[in-house]
Each structure stands twice: as C-alpha cells, then as structure tokens.
C-alpha cells in the first residue's frame, strides 16, 4: 500500500512539475527573429559587457564549421553553447519558433511543428576553472528525447531566463528535406563590365516534378546566400529555361555578387605566446578586475587593385585553447584591441564585423578615431580562439565593406529552395546546394 502511494505521489509530482513548467510568449515584442544576444537584466540601460551572453555558438555536431542545418527526421543534431560572465547559475530554458522563408513568423503554431515538450530547461552547465574571468558555460543539443520537429523550414531557437521571463539568445537554423536536386556553378561574371569585381551564380533545379510544381514562378521561393550572412542574399531570380526535367537560372543581374575580399584574422588560442597577427599580450587591472589585454597587429586599409590570396573561414570563428586545455571551461577571455590605419571619414561610422558580432552592426563593435595617431580603434571582449573579421563602413546612405572587391575572392555560396503551394501555411525547405568560388583564383 505504501509503495503504491509513493508511486502515485511521484507521478503526481512529475505531472504537476510539467504542468507548471516554464513557458515563454514566443510572440513577445522583444523577440528578434535573427541571431541576437539580449541584455541579461530587465534594465536595458545596463550595457556593460558582462550584461550579455558571450561566445554564443550554434554548431553542427558533425563538424563545427558546417552550417546549422540538419535533415528532417534524421539522426543529425545541433548544439547551442554560451557563457554567462559570472559564477551564479541561472534557470534558463529554450523553445523554438518556425519562420517563413523571409524569417518572419510562419502561420503555424507550435503544435504544428514540434513534438514532445515545447519548452525545456537547460540542464547541462559547468563552472569555469582557473580563469581570470569567472563564467558559467551552458550547452544543450537538439533534437533530443524531449523535443523534435515535424516540419522543415527556417527556425529560431530562443533561450530565455525563466525567472525573469526575458529572452537572452536567439539563433537561426534550418531543417530541410532532401527532395529536389540543386546543382550550382560559380564563375566570373558574363559581362565584361562585371568581371573584375563580381561573381556569377548559375544553377538548375532537377526532379521538380516530385512536388507537382505547376508554376515555378509562384510555387518556389529561392534564396542565394553568400558566406552564411543573411544580409548578403539574392531572392527569387527568374527562370531562364524550363522543361519537364529541370529549371535553369543563368546569366542574370540577379545572380551577381560582389566578390569582396578575404577576411582579416588573428589567433588567440594561446595567451602565453603570440599567435598570428597578435602584437602584444598583457595582464591588466581594469575597473578593479584583472583581465588579459591583447593588441592585434594594425590593419591598413587596402587600396591595391590586385587580389591577395590567403586562407580564411569566410568570417567565422573557432573557439579553441592551446596547451591541452578544455576551451568550454578553461578558455580565458581577453579584451582585444583592433586598430585600423585610415584617414577619418566624415559622417560615417566604422564597425568590426563578422560572426564575432552575430553578422550585425552592434554598438559594442563601433570604432573610435584617434586624431593624434590617425587611426580607428575598437575593443571586443572575446574568448580564446581563432577569429575572422572585417570592417564595415556605414554612412547616411550606404553600408559597405572596406578592402575592395575582387572576382578571385574565395567565398561560399548557399542556395535554399522553398516549396509553398497556394494551399500551404508554411514554407517547406525542399532543396539545398552549397559550393565555393575557390576555382576562380
């Protein structure tokens, strides 16, 4: 009788716990359906570095350099990890938002695209060990035993503070179905006027009859993306040829991208010796706390008309620590100073830019100008690793990258094909292709 009572009591506790478990309004006005780190408190006036999540990475478990894309109903998974710069463990939870091809809310509710529990606590966390800056490292994988996905398409994973009921992280990812054949060819631009600084993307879609597509112009939505950057895309080009087997897209202005230039980089995997493009490493006491202070080599604005080859990660970064230490809990944070030798630009701002800023123009990454030394300088608080970055100029009318454009630049391109028949209430991701422009140099 006692055993039966205990079993019933345990079951009741289990159901009461989940009945009163965490939840968050995914349509809250504070939510941004993009990669974004939010203020960790409700006081938005507090903007110190420790008020935001740091080193937020959403990685494919197969390879950390692969895009956060997995196949529907497969064994593939993603891992989200981040650090909070204090030694207090918080109650964080996560949920998912389905988006259309334009990264707006889809017309589905969570019961349409999720199975299991829609909100789940982050159970795995570790304290930093033997580091100057204390932090707690959190991570979780998905899909998992608690939640899975029914539909393909664009998604946002939302991490929130369950006690304060505020968002702290949003990150984009994609789930696809391998239905359409998509093949891509990257070449020099067809027209002579574009051949020095642009790259042309030609592609075709095969097997489209599998989806009973009657009008490719309206039934398919197409996005072409450069270097995983959602601000650098082309959408819905017009087919140049259609037959019963394939749809071709070739030789169009809508298929041209500026080549850009290779990313700048630096290596702070070790803080004992100078890695690539590191000028100095010091321990300093700033605002009463000891931290590492790293000065990277001064950058000079490129003016040459000739392309310079070098390897890069197309704007990404890798968290890594030398000396056989665990990067997740033993990686140090350092205040990194960036310096750009350049004349001052009137009515313009310059920002450090790349995955290290979530591919966004953020206030923290804005550079200041030193009149005496005739250079721009800026700071970011970064964890040990290898980083790519570039400089973005924003004036009243334009946003552009410093460093010029070259058709030889090594870029990665992605094509995403969505199927949206008139009767559907969501954009189904049914085809993906990825390729590089490496053969052009």
């Amino acid at each position: 009788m006692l055993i039966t009572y205990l079993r019933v009591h345990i079951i009741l506790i289990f159901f009461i716990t989940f009945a009163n478990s965490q939840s968050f309004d995914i349509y809250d006005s504070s939510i941004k359906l993009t990669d974004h780190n939010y203020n960790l408190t409700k006081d938005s006036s507090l903007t110190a570095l420790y008020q935001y999540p740091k080193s937020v990475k959403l990685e494919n478990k197969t390879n950390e350099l692969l895009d956060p894309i997995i196949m529907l109903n497969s064994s593939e998974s993603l891992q989200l990890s981040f650090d909070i710069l204090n030694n207090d463990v918080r109650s964080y939870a996560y949920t998912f938002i389905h988006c259309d091809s334009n990264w707006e809310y889809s017309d589905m509710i969570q019961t349409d695209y999720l199975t299991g529990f829609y909100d789940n606590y982050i159970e795995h966390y570790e304290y930093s060990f033997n580091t100057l800056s204390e932090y707690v490292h959190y991570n979780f994988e998905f899909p998992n035993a608690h939640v899975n996905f029914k539909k393909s398409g664009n998604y946002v994973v939302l991490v929130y503070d369950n006690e304060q009921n505020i968002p702290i992280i949003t990150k984009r990812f994609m789930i696809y179905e391998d239905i359409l054949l998509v093949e891509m060819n990257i070449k020099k631009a067809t027209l002579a006027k574009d051949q020095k600084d642009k790259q042309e993307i030609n592609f075709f879609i095969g097997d489209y009859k599998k989806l009973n597509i009657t009008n490719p112009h309206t039934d398919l939505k197409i996005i072409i993306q450069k270097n995983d950057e959602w601000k650098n895309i082309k959408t819905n080009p017009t087919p140049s040829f259609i037959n019963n087997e394939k749809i071709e897209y070739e030789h169009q202005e809508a298929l041209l991208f500026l080549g850009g230039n290779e990313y700048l980089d630096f290596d702070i995997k070790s803080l004992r010796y100078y890695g690539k493009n590191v000028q100095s490493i010091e321990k300093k006491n700033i605002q009463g706390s000891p931290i590492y202070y790293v000065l990277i080599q001064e950058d000079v604005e490129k003016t040459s008309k000739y392309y310079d080859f070098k390897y890069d990660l197309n704007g990404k970064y890798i968290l890594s620590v030398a000396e056989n230490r665990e990067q997740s809990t033993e990686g140090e944070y350092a205040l990194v100073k960036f310096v750009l030798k350049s004349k001052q630009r009137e009515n313009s701002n310059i920002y450090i830019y790349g995955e290290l800023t979530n591919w966004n123009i953020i206030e923290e990454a804005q550079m200041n100008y030193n009149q005496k030394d005739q250079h721009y300088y800026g700071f970011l608080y970064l964890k040990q690793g290898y980083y790519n970055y570039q400089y973005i100029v924003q004036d009243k009318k334009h946003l552009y990258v410093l460093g010029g454009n070259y058709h030889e630049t090594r870029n990665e391109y992605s094509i995403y094909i969505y199927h949206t028949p008139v009767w559907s209430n969501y954009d189904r991701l049914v085809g993906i292709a990825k390729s590089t422009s490496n053969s052009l140099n």
Side-chain angles (χ1 to χ4, degrees):
M1 185 70 179
L2 179 60
I3 294 175
T4 302
Y5 171 78
L6 288 173
R7 285 176 177 172
V8 172
H9 188 63
I10 291 171
I11 292 172
L12 284 173
I13 291 174
F14 177 84
F15 280 109
I16 290 171
T17 299
F18 277 96
N20 294 283
S21 65
Q22 74 286 353
S23 63
F24 190 87
D25 179 10
I26 62 173
Y27 301 101
D28 187 277
S29 60
S30 63
I31 300 298
K32 301 177 186 293
L33 299 179
T34 185
D35 292 350
H36 190 76
N37 302 339
Y38 301 76
N39 196 308
L40 293 170
T41 72
K42 291 185 176 182
D43 185 356
S44 60
S45 66
L46 297 175
T47 58
L49 295 181
Y50 57 82
Q51 293 293 339
Y52 294 87
K54 303 295 293 182
S55 305
V56 182
K57 295 284 283 184
L58 181 56
E59 297 173 332
N60 193 303
K61 287 292 291 179
T62 302
N63 184 322
E64 63 183 329
L65 287 177
L66 292 178
D67 301 327
I69 302 172
I70 56 176
M71 186 187 297
L72 185 67
N73 298 324
S74 72
S75 60
E76 299 170 353
S77 64
L78 302 174
Q79 177 176 272
L80 181 68
S81 60
F82 60 94
D83 295 338
I84 302 297
L85 296 180
N86 57 44
N87 58 4
D88 297 324
V89 173
R90 301 284 301 181
S91 175
Y92 294 130
Y94 63 93
T95 189
F96 300 96
I97 303 169
H98 192 277
C99 300
D100 62 18
S101 60
N102 295 319
W103 293 101
E104 301 292 342
Y105 288 99
S106 68
D107 291 332
M108 295 191 294
I109 59 176
Q110 287 185 305
T111 54
D112 294 331
Y113 56 85
L114 295 177
T115 61
F117 297 102
Y118 308 152
D119 297 82
N120 292 276
Y121 287 110
I122 300 176
E123 299 174 344
H124 191 268
Y125 59 86
E126 298 175 277
Y127 294 96
S128 60
F129 175 73
N130 200 27
T131 57
L132 291 184
S133 296
E134 294 182 328
Y135 59 88
V136 181
H137 178 77
Y138 298 82
N139 71 77
F140 63 93
E141 294 181 28
F142 62 89
N144 53 49
H146 304 298
V147 63
N148 209 332
F149 304 93
K150 299 179 184 178
K151 307 290 187 183
S152 63
N154 294 349
Y155 282 85
V156 168
V157 55
L158 163 66
V159 178
Y160 58 92
D161 187 318
N162 187 51
E163 296 174 1
Q164 298 188 86
N165 202 37
I166 57 173
I168 67 163
I169 294 168
T170 45
K171 292 289 282 186
R172 291 176 172 180
F173 68 98
M174 308 171 89
I175 299 178
Y176 75 99
E177 299 172 74
D178 190 15
I179 297 177
L180 297 183
L181 171 67
V182 186
E183 293 199 3
M184 176 181 7
N185 176 40
I186 303 170
K187 59 188 288 292
K188 287 179 64 174
T190 299
L191 298 180
K193 68 181 181 67
D194 298 319
Q195 289 183 351
K196 288 185 178 180
D197 60 357
K198 294 180 182 177
Q199 297 173 342
E200 183 176 306
I201 317 300
N202 295 327
F203 66 99
F204 74 82
I205 301 171
D207 298 334
Y208 73 95
K209 291 295 184 181
K210 290 180 179 179
L211 294 172
N212 297 318
I213 295 171
T214 57
N215 186 348
H217 297 271
T218 58
D219 291 354
L220 294 179
K221 296 179 181 178
I222 300 172
I223 293 177
I224 309 168
Q225 180 195 45
K226 178 184 173 185
N227 291 339
D228 306 320
E229 183 184 351
W230 285 102
K231 290 182 174 64
N232 202 346
I233 63 172
K234 306 279 187 176
T235 59
N236 300 322
T238 302
S240 52
F241 177 78
I242 302 174
N243 63 20
N244 289 329
E245 296 181 353
K246 62 182 179 180
I247 308 168
E248 294 185 356
Y249 300 80
E250 293 183 321
H251 313 308
Q252 301 178 32
E253 185 74 24
L255 300 175
L256 292 176
F257 285 82
L258 287 169
N261 198 9
E262 306 297 355
Y263 281 80
L264 303 166
D265 63 349
F266 64 93
D267 184 342
I268 53 171
K269 292 194 293 290
S270 175
L271 295 174
R272 297 181 182 178
Y273 61 84
Y274 296 171
K276 184 179 181 182
N277 291 326
V278 172
Q279 182 173 319
S280 64
I281 302 172
E282 303 176 65
K283 282 185 182 179
K284 287 192 173 185
N285 196 293
I286 297 180
Q287 295 181 349
S289 300
I291 67 168
Y292 283 98
Y293 178 87
V294 175
L295 173 63
I296 60 176
Q297 297 286 351
E298 180 181 74
D299 296 310
V300 178
E301 185 177 344
K302 182 177 173 62
T303 57
S304 171
K305 63 180 180 179
Y306 298 107
Y307 165 76
D308 293 324
F309 167 78
K310 69 174 181 177
Y311 288 103
D312 67 7
L313 299 178
N314 289 322
K316 297 181 179 181
Y317 69 90
I318 297 175
L319 297 174
S320 181
V321 183
E323 295 99 23
N324 295 317
R325 297 166 64 201
E326 174 57 49
Q327 68 85 8
S328 60
T329 54
E330 296 181 87
E332 292 278 6
Y333 276 86
L335 187 63
V336 179
K337 183 178 182 180
F338 298 76
V339 178
L340 171 65
K341 190 71 174 179
S342 172
K343 294 181 180 179
Q344 187 171 14
R345 285 173 159 77
E346 298 296 331
N347 302 315
S348 298
N349 292 318
I350 295 182
Y351 297 86
I352 307 158
Y353 185 80
E355 187 194 4
L356 78 175
T357 64
N358 269 331
W359 303 103
N360 287 319
I361 304 297
I362 60 174
E363 183 179 355
E364 176 187 345
Q366 183 175 342
M367 305 188 79
N368 300 301
Y369 195 73
N370 184 317
Q371 291 282 0
K372 178 183 176 181
D373 296 327
Q374 297 289 292
H375 67 223
Y376 285 91
Y377 66 95
F379 299 90
L380 290 176
Y381 200 50
L382 302 172
K383 199 174 188 180
Q384 285 182 264
Y386 170 72
Y387 288 82
N388 278 192
Y389 66 100
Q390 57 187 190
Y391 297 109
I392 292 281
V393 180
Q394 185 179 50
D395 59 27
K396 292 181 179 180
K397 296 182 179 180
H398 304 98
L399 186 69
Y400 59 93
V401 178
L402 285 183
N405 291 285
Y406 305 88
H407 80 269
E408 301 100 328
T409 303
R410 297 160 68 100
N411 295 305
E412 181 185 57
Y413 291 93
S414 305
I415 297 177
Y416 303 111
I417 312 294
Y418 301 84
H419 181 222
T420 315
V422 293
W423 48 263
S424 177
N425 64 344
Y426 78 103
D427 294 334
R428 182 182 176 191
L429 183 54
V430 293
I432 288 178
K434 289 184 175 290
S435 187
T436 69
S437 59
N438 295 1
S439 62
L440 298 182
N441 61 29

